[in-house]
Amino acid sequence: MIDRLEKEVDMLERHLQVLRMVIENEPIGIVKMSNETGYPHHKVRYSLRVLEEENLIEPSSQGAITTDHTHEFVDDLDSKVDQTIEKLEGMKIEDTAEVEG
């Protein structure tokens, strides 16, 4: 159960790292992102596709660039992460009676 969540968090981390690179270096291409992050080309390409589907980046002839929605997303990101952390903290099973096995 938790393994899937960990994989999703890892993938989200990669997507956000790719988005950060686009924000800081636009326009930027797959090869440069792959070289700088160490992620294989196909993983960078997948992250770019996801970010494009979310309307956070768009392709240009020189590489990926941000959209009008990018900065709004970034502004809301920290609070959404904080809310998710709070929710996960509430899911912990600590200080409860030991489960008998």
Side-chain angles (χ1 to χ4, degrees):
M1 228 175 4
I2 260 322
D3 293 343
R4 281 191 306 209
L5 177 61
E6 288 174 345
K7 288 178 184 175
E8 286 292 324
V9 169
D10 288 344
M11 190 167 27
L12 177 60
E13 181 181 31
R14 185 181 76 232
H15 296 338
L16 292 176
Q17 186 175 3
V18 168
L19 179 60
R20 184 178 293 116
M21 289 190 74
V22 174
I23 291 169
E24 294 172 355
N25 303 292
E26 64 180 317
I28 185 169
I30 292 172
V31 173
K32 184 173 182 182
M33 280 191 263
S34 179
N35 290 339
E36 291 189 18
T37 62
Y39 293 127
H41 289 46
H42 71 277
K43 289 195 174 192
V44 172
R45 188 176 294 111
Y46 178 72
S47 291
L48 289 169
R49 187 176 328 122
V50 168
L51 294 169
E52 186 177 357
E53 287 172 1
E54 294 293 323
N55 201 22
L56 298 174
I57 65 163
E58 59 187 28
S60 75
S61 58
Q62 291 85 28
I65 58 173
T66 58
T67 68
D68 294 338
H69 301 322
T70 306
H71 296 290
E72 179 183 336
F73 172 82
V74 170
D75 289 344
D76 293 341
L77 180 63
D78 286 350
S79 66
K80 288 183 179 183
V81 169
D82 289 341
Q83 289 171 2
T84 303
I85 290 170
E86 283 181 34
K87 187 179 281 188
L88 289 170
E89 288 285 339
M91 297 167 95
K92 287 183 177 179
I93 304 176
E94 37 182 56
D95 301 327
T96 56
E98 287 189 30
V99 177
E100 293 183 24

